[in-house]
Amino acid sequence: MRAEIISVGTELLLGEVTDTNAPYLSQQMAQLGIDVYHRTTVGDNEHRLVAALEQAQANSDLVIITGGLGPTADDITKQVVARFVNQPLVGDQVAANKIAHYFAGRNEVPAPNNRTQAEYINGGRSLANSVGLAVGTYYYAQATQTHYVLLPGPPQELQVMVEQELVPVLRQSLPNLQPLFTHVMRFFGISESRLAALLADVIAQQSDPTIALYAQHGEVTIRLASRANTSAEAEKKLMQCANVILERAGQYYYGHGADNSLANVLVQKLQQEHLTIAAAESLTAGLFQSTLATIPGVSAVFYGGFVTYATEAKERFLGVPHELIAQNGVVSQATAQAMAQHTQKRAQTDIAVSFTGVAGPGQVDGLPAGTVWIGLQFKDQKPQAQEFHWPKMTRQEVRQRAVLAGLMMVLQALKKQ
């Protein structure tokens, strides 16, 4: 089934409000087995909305319209769509009572426009709004064999209505849908183009599951998607494909899941191994520790650490010898190792990680911007350090990439223990 989403609202076109509804609806439709082929945004204008409806009707079996169901003069979606399908609006008595009760509780009388929030398209089905006042509509136009859905604009209202009302209606009305199952694999330390090259033949031969690569926030994700009648059937196909990918690029893989992150995977690993970690940060200035602290339950494994931005702070707070820094430079393998080693001893943790480098825009000791050393110290082991180069990144991008590299460095070291 082909679907189209029409987002209504001049505020969306002006950039005053970000449309989070369309991505959410695309995800929900994919899970049902409905393909969203088009997404359109129009202002609160009848002629342009009608033009969008005409185009959607020609291209799609299901048209989902969001926004414009409120009580103000520019909320015209319901009235325009009703005229477009040549049906009047009728009232939902339960919704009308809810509106009356709401205003009575505020000692106010609802305006006529408020009462229209309880109306839906005749011949269709009212979709209850348990969060707000405006009801939605599901309507099937027999003449064109087009399904129409009207949803409120506020995301908190729309999402509840979709999950509680719309999804059950679509499953009942479209019983032959084959759900789409997905598996998201996450990689760090390899570019999208290089990963694509490693998997070129696999991607070329894809059919089911399909394979899609995305570069975002310093990492690459691979989204595997398969249609199947049962989750067990899909799981078998998805895991077979995932294993082939891991054979090619397993060293860069750190976890799976659409909402996962390197920090989350590392914290979980530390919790499983009952290990503690501390950090000393120069160029990242606390960003590594702050990133760890966003993960729930991190207090069980994260001891704390030091922000040693100045050279003197590395000596005074950590006890790194002045001679070592003078001889090797503040951005060096020796300094990174010493920072990690002294942090582990002072914090008495199982692991310590350190960051020193040149965020830019200028050089430090002749080293170009983007040069970074990350140190790693495991208790009772020799310190390690790894050098990274990100010359074309901004100052903030270097710092953020260093944090991700540090998380991955610790995670990979843990897997080798």
Side-chain angles (χ1 to χ4, degrees):
M1 168 167 277
R2 301 165 302 172
E4 178 161 348
I5 298 169
I6 301 176
S7 302
V8 180
T10 302
E11 68 278 8
L12 300 174
L13 293 174
L14 293 175
E16 296 172 349
V17 175
T18 300
D19 184 6
T20 59
N21 290 333
Y24 167 80
L25 286 167
S26 293
Q27 293 171 356
Q28 292 294 313
M29 294 305 104
Q31 291 175 11
L32 288 172
I34 297 172
D35 298 312
V36 175
Y37 285 170
H38 303 278
R39 290 195 337 208
T40 304
T41 303
V42 297
D44 302 301
N45 179 280
E46 180 172 355
H47 297 296
R48 287 190 283 273
L49 179 53
V50 169
L53 289 169
E54 289 173 344
Q55 187 68 31
Q57 180 180 271
N59 293 331
S60 306
D61 309 300
L62 170 64
V63 182
I64 304 174
I65 306 104
T66 72
L69 304 187
T72 60
D74 61 350
D75 290 316
I76 60 173
T77 298
K78 191 179 298 183
Q79 296 88 332
V80 171
V81 177
R83 285 194 293 270
F84 184 78
V85 298
N86 198 29
Q87 289 288 342
L89 292 171
V90 293
D92 179 321
Q93 191 57 52
V94 173
N97 292 341
K98 179 180 177 181
I99 291 172
H101 179 75
Y102 171 81
F103 281 96
R106 301 173 63 180
N107 293 319
E108 297 178 14
V109 177
N113 284 350
N114 289 116
R115 296 189 180 96
T116 64
Q117 292 182 283
E119 294 179 337
Y120 64 101
I121 298 175
N122 181 55
R125 176 167 176 170
S126 174
L127 303 178
N129 189 336
S130 61
V131 178
L133 299 178
V135 298
T137 298
Y138 166 76
Y139 176 81
Y140 178 63
Q142 183 70 44
T144 59
Q145 297 185 334
T146 307
H147 303 260
Y148 291 91
V149 173
L150 278 64
L151 298 170
Q156 67 274 18
E157 297 182 29
L158 177 140
Q159 292 180 16
V160 174
M161 185 179 290
V162 167
E163 292 164 21
Q164 293 182 353
E165 298 284 321
L166 179 59
V167 169
V169 167
L170 291 178
R171 282 180 173 156
Q172 181 183 19
S173 304
L174 308 168
N176 296 322
L177 292 175
Q178 194 173 44
L180 183 71
F181 296 89
T182 61
H183 180 75
V184 177
M185 306 175 70
R186 310 188 75 93
F187 300 81
F188 179 80
I190 185 171
S191 67
E192 181 184 18
S193 58
R194 188 178 170 202
L195 186 55
L198 284 177
L199 303 173
D201 59 322
V202 180
I203 295 171
Q205 298 168 12
Q206 67 175 319
S207 56
D208 184 18
T210 58
I211 303 171
L213 278 69
Y214 305 95
Q216 52 184 356
H217 308 303
E219 61 180 87
V220 182
T221 61
I222 295 180
R223 179 179 174 272
L224 307 179
S226 176
R227 295 197 185 281
N229 294 317
T230 66
S231 59
E233 179 185 340
E235 181 79 5
K236 182 178 179 180
K237 291 188 288 184
L238 292 170
M239 289 305 100
Q240 286 176 343
C241 186
N243 289 334
V244 172
I245 293 172
L246 289 175
E247 289 175 3
R248 307 281 186 90
Q251 74 237 55
Y252 305 104
Y253 173 79
Y254 75 82
H256 69 275
D259 298 321
N260 210 348
S261 69
L262 259 171
N264 185 58
V265 172
L266 176 57
V267 169
Q268 289 181 348
K269 182 68 173 176
L270 291 170
Q271 290 171 334
Q272 292 168 4
E273 301 294 334
H274 303 289
L275 297 174
T276 55
I277 190 170
E281 303 183 63
S282 184
L283 87 156
T284 48
L287 187 59
F288 178 84
Q289 297 172 69
S290 139
T291 300
L292 281 182
T294 63
I295 308 302
V298 72
S299 59
V301 298
F302 175 45
Y303 179 84
F306 306 88
V307 175
T308 55
Y309 208 73
T311 299
E312 293 77 9
K314 297 173 180 61
E315 300 171 8
R316 188 181 306 170
F317 295 169
L318 301 178
V320 177
H322 173 80
E323 296 77 12
L324 183 145
I325 296 177
Q327 181 178 350
N328 296 279
V330 70
V331 181
S332 65
Q333 178 181 11
T335 298
Q337 288 177 333
M339 288 172 64
Q341 192 173 36
H342 284 264
T343 298
Q344 188 275 321
K345 287 181 179 178
R346 296 206 170 196
Q348 290 295 295
T349 54
D350 300 296
I351 305 166
V353 61
S354 66
F355 300 83
T356 182
V358 187
Q363 296 184 352
V364 172
D365 296 336
L367 297 173
T371 304
V372 175
W373 278 95
I374 301 177
L376 184 60
Q377 174 69 60
F378 276 70
K379 187 178 180 181
D380 301 326
Q381 295 184 20
K382 291 182 178 180
Q384 309 170 37
Q386 188 172 346
E387 187 177 20
F388 300 87
H389 295 276
W390 300 299
K392 296 182 179 181
M393 293 186 181
T394 66
R395 179 180 178 85
Q396 185 61 12
E397 286 171 342
V398 169
R399 298 175 66 242
Q400 291 170 339
R401 185 63 60 88
V403 168
L404 294 175
L407 293 167
M408 187 68 169
M409 189 173 169
V410 178
L411 185 62
Q412 289 178 326
L414 283 170
K415 291 180 178 179
K416 294 177 181 178
Q417 294 295 308

